[in-house]
Amino acid sequence: MLLGGIEAGGTKMVCAVGDENGNLLDRASFPTREPKETFEDLLNYFKKYEIEALGIGCFGPIDLNRNSKTYGYITKTPKLAWADTDFVGVFKKELNVPVGFDTDVNGAVLGEVTWGAAKGLDSAIYITIGTGVGVGVYLNGGLLHGLVHPEGGHIILARHPKDTYEGKCPFHKNCMEGMAAGPAIEARWGKKGYELADRPEVWEMEAYYIGQAIADYIVTYSPEKVILWGGVMHQEQLFDMVRKETVRQLAGYVHHDAILKDIDNYIVAPGLGDDPGIKGAIRLGYLELNR
Ligand code: ADP
Ligand code: ZN
């Protein structure tokens, strides 16, 4: 069975064809331009294949309410050319196949639950810390949507006692994204993350915010696995610091061996390397076909 997937990002669109077992047979990447040009690139790519369904993991905010007139749209994104853009409808019409649709991070957590580090589990979260922070949530065997979709990158965090930086988020200042995403690190320390590798105070503060956020996600979502990735997590020393900080912030309140005895296997990098997003998109297509 041939399935298509799109990982739709603000800077690039990754697309691939693969099978129902998560094997990728081909992939390509196109810069994100205006919707019309970008859709042309993507449609030309998929028209070379006989896919049975397409899945899209998309930057947001997006409309996931199947009863809404604007279901399958990108809604009020700051990337203005893309605001109020029908994504699903265009591909359904042009490719004439079922089109699955979800957030990029929900796609990624789905990929990890299906084939990666959370394989077979009923619940997991996927946190990406890059240009922004996004959190995909899989709970009770399904992706969480609710009113809109989770926006775990924007939980408000307590400041580190030594942090004088006000925060980068234009809405909240000191939310997770405002304090811990790549641009916040750069604004706080005056250099990009990868130029700060040898400054322990940078990563101690970073781990404080990430650990605090994960502790918040644990007490609210109660995931069986926490998967952590994105450009900032390429500082691999952060993993251990974040694990310790998460345990410290939970302060013994969530009394489970996964946290108290086996945190190394609880907070982990993706099992699918750099592919959870695109493989998850393929899985979204598969699920839509079998809906
Ligand atoms: P995006 O979020 O745009 O999809 P990434 O996940 O690659 O892309 O995140 C980009 C952010 O991650 C940038 O702010 C960049 O400075 C930061 N970053 C990338 N590599 C590293 C690294 N090795 N160490 C620290 N920060 C990094
Ligand atoms: Zn915010």
Side-chain angles (χ1 to χ4, degrees):
M1 176 188 291
L2 212 50
L3 300 158
I6 302 172
E7 191 182 4
T11 51
K12 67 175 193 285
M13 299 274 167
V14 177
C15 44
V17 290
D19 66 18
E20 71 277 20
N21 300 315
N23 301 306
L24 298 184
L25 307 171
D26 186 58
R27 79 157 80 203
S29 172
F30 301 99
T32 303
R33 302 185 283 158
E34 306 254 307
K36 189 169 174 294
E37 289 89 51
T38 305
F39 287 165
E40 243 168 59
D41 289 343
L42 296 171
L43 287 166
N44 287 336
Y45 176 80
F46 286 111
K47 282 181 175 167
K48 292 185 294 184
Y49 299 95
E50 297 258 318
I51 57 171
E52 288 183 49
L54 176 71
I56 304 167
C58 192
F59 69 90
I62 60 179
D63 187 347
L64 294 173
N65 175 4
R66 287 180 188 268
N67 298 320
S68 152
K69 276 194 298 215
T70 53
Y71 169 74
Y73 278 54
I74 296 173
T75 57
K76 290 281 166 267
T77 173
K79 222 176 145 55
L80 289 178
W82 285 82
D84 306 309
T85 297
D86 183 8
F87 208 138
V88 169
V90 169
F91 284 79
K92 239 183 180 160
K93 178 160 167 276
E94 295 290 330
L95 300 176
N96 200 22
V97 294
V99 177
F101 190 58
D102 218 306
T103 63
D104 44 6
V105 278
N106 267 0
V109 75
L110 179 65
E112 286 292 312
V113 165
T114 311
W115 298 297
K119 189 173 169 181
L121 297 180
D122 254 7
S123 61
I125 60 171
Y126 180 98
I127 308 165
T128 177
I129 307 172
T131 307
V133 176
V135 184
V137 183
Y138 187 88
L139 273 187
N140 299 334
L143 293 169
L144 185 63
H145 293 164
L147 183 67
V148 184
H149 41 73
E151 287 284 6
H154 292 270
I155 57 171
I156 309 301
L157 296 182
R159 284 169 191 285
H160 187 286
K162 290 187 187 148
D163 193 1
T164 53
Y165 178 57
E166 64 168 358
K168 184 93 187 159
C169 178
F171 295 88
H172 318 112
K173 292 198 162 60
N174 59 309
C175 66
M176 171 61 175
E177 181 169 300
M179 298 312 259
I185 298 175
E186 190 177 343
R188 178 185 292 113
W189 302 100
K191 282 183 180 173
K192 289 200 181 296
Y194 60 83
E195 297 170 314
L196 295 160
D198 57 352
R199 299 264 303 271
E201 69 276 24
V202 171
W203 308 109
E204 190 228 317
M205 196 172 280
E206 185 68 11
Y208 173 85
Y209 290 120
I210 301 173
Q212 187 183 160
I214 293 177
D216 287 350
Y217 305 141
I218 290 172
V219 292
T220 47
Y221 297 131
S222 199
E224 291 161 288
K225 191 76 83 176
V226 175
I227 299 162
L228 199 50
W229 203 230
V232 170
M233 292 310 299
H234 286 88
Q235 296 293 322
E236 298 216 5
Q237 75 276 17
L238 262 179
F239 274 91
D240 259 335
M241 299 169 81
V242 165
R243 289 178 184 122
K244 286 202 182 78
E245 186 60 24
T246 302
V247 172
R248 194 185 72 79
Q249 300 247 8
L250 284 169
Y253 187 74
V254 179
H255 223 270
H256 194 287
D257 283 355
I259 291 165
L260 300 176
K261 293 194 176 147
D262 201 19
I263 191 85
D264 290 359
N265 289 312
Y266 181 67
I267 299 176
V268 297
L272 299 176
D274 288 320
D275 292 341
I278 190 63
K279 290 191 172 177
I282 297 234
R283 180 72 178 173
L284 284 170
Y286 177 84
L287 292 179
E288 189 68 18
L289 184 65
N290 291 285
R291 216 173 144 256

